[in-house]
Amino acid sequence: MRDTSQHLLFNLQQFWAEGSLEKNNALVEYLKQYGVVRTDKVAEVMETIDRALFVPEGFTPYTDSPMPIGYNATISAPHMHATCLELLKDYLQPGMHALDVGSGSGYLTACFAMMVGPEGRAVGIEHIPELVVASTENVERSAAAALMKDGSLSFHVSDGRLGWPDAAPYDAIHVGAAAPEIPRPLLEQLKPGGRMVIPVGTYSQDLQVIDKSADGSTSVRNDASVRYVPLTSRSAQLQDS
Ligand code: SAH
């Protein structure tokens, strides 16, 4: 009896650990019902980029929680990805420029690339070289592969607190790790009329939405209380691994 239930549990875990677009679509459907996916645009991109390609083997890609990707980093939970895509969707129109700081698994950078398309630019900055290698391999297997091949999607090993001036100014900037304060270079690289979404704080953090108006002035509002890994130096991040 015990053996059978353990066997069943193992099979269930196996089932949810395997990638399939059907299960990915079921996750997006769940996020719609939960109210975090609110627009067709966001649903469409999350359906196109299969999350299983970005979650390490052995972990369940379609459950709504963050998963470890090594080096004290995590792929964010699906509801956080959806929240950020909803907040940024108007700034991810075809031809626009997007910066993803702390790109980790590469999932969100791939979504950005699909939205801005081949005429746009999606740049992922990550300070752990091994994660840049992994994210590149993940994207190669995904629907965004052609965009990386043609150069409209790129990953770079660098300190994201400095931004990436080469493709600035950006219509959309997303920061996937919590900063004690908003790094100045990121504010400077945000286009007038653009939007940045960034978790700010140390222990308690707020997801802040920063809008830069045409005259260059900025407004800030808190969208939600969140819990992200810190935006820090590589040595500090790897210290307690
Ligand atoms: N959006 C990513 C989140 C990854 S977790 C995803 O869903 O996969 C946050 C990432 O920020 C980690 O990969 C971490 O290595 C990276 N990070 C932290 N500080 C950084 C810095 N100063 N520069 C670049 N990347 C940084």
Side-chain angles (χ1 to χ4, degrees):
M1 187 62 199
R2 197 156 160 260
D3 274 344
T4 318
S5 60
Q6 272 181 353
H7 186 67
L8 191 68
L9 185 65
F10 176 76
N11 276 345
L12 268 177
Q13 277 170 349
Q14 269 298 100
F15 175 80
W16 283 108
E18 277 164 21
S20 93
L21 277 176
E22 213 172 284
K23 283 183 260 176
N24 192 63
N25 287 353
L27 170 65
V28 177
E29 190 52 42
Y30 161 81
L31 293 169
K32 272 191 204 168
Q33 280 169 18
Y34 188 49
V36 267
V37 168
R38 287 192 287 267
T39 60
D40 289 348
K41 214 167 159 181
V42 170
E44 206 173 287
V45 74
M46 291 189 79
E47 280 164 8
T48 309
I49 300 296
D50 185 357
R51 190 176 169 82
L53 303 173
F54 296 82
V55 172
E57 251 175 66
F59 292 99
T60 50
Y62 304 119
T63 49
D64 191 16
S65 49
M67 294 287 162
I69 55 172
Y71 312 95
N72 287 331
T74 56
I75 174 170
S76 299
H79 74 268
M80 281 318 305
H81 283 154
T83 298
C84 293
L85 286 167
E86 286 289 354
L87 286 168
L88 288 169
K89 65 179 184 304
D90 293 345
Y91 307 84
L92 294 166
Q93 290 176 41
M96 288 185 165
H97 284 205
L99 177 67
D100 186 21
V101 172
S103 46
S105 67
Y107 175 86
L108 215 46
T109 325
C111 290
F112 292 172
M114 294 302 288
M115 292 170 86
V116 300
E119 307 300 323
R121 283 287 277 123
V123 177
I125 302 295
E126 169 57 56
H127 67 169
I128 307 288
E130 290 88 343
L131 288 179
V132 167
V133 171
S135 61
T136 303
E137 289 170 358
N138 296 342
V139 168
E140 270 165 3
R141 291 178 291 148
S142 81
L147 296 166
M148 193 166 62
K149 210 164 173 218
D150 77 15
S152 57
L153 159 57
S154 59
F155 292 107
H156 309 272
V157 181
S158 182
D159 186 340
R161 292 172 291 190
L162 305 174
W164 190 255
D166 290 18
Y170 297 97
D171 302 277
I173 297 181
H174 169 262
V175 183
E181 56 191 32
I182 300 164
R184 180 152 291 278
L186 297 184
L187 267 182
E188 286 166 1
Q189 290 171 31
L190 185 64
K191 196 187 250 183
R195 172 174 283 188
M196 170 158 40
V197 172
I198 176 172
V200 179
T202 45
Y203 188 74
S204 105
Q205 305 163 4
D206 291 310
L207 189 67
Q208 295 196 339
V209 179
I210 295 121
D211 287 322
K212 194 185 255 192
S213 59
D215 68 6
S217 62
T218 53
S219 70
V220 182
R221 72 174 170 86
N222 291 343
D223 188 74
S225 288
V226 289
R227 191 97 182 92
Y228 279 74
V229 303
L231 185 73
T232 184
S233 68
R234 190 185 304 161
S235 56
Q237 182 173 325
L238 296 177
Q239 218 162 41
D240 42 27
S241 59

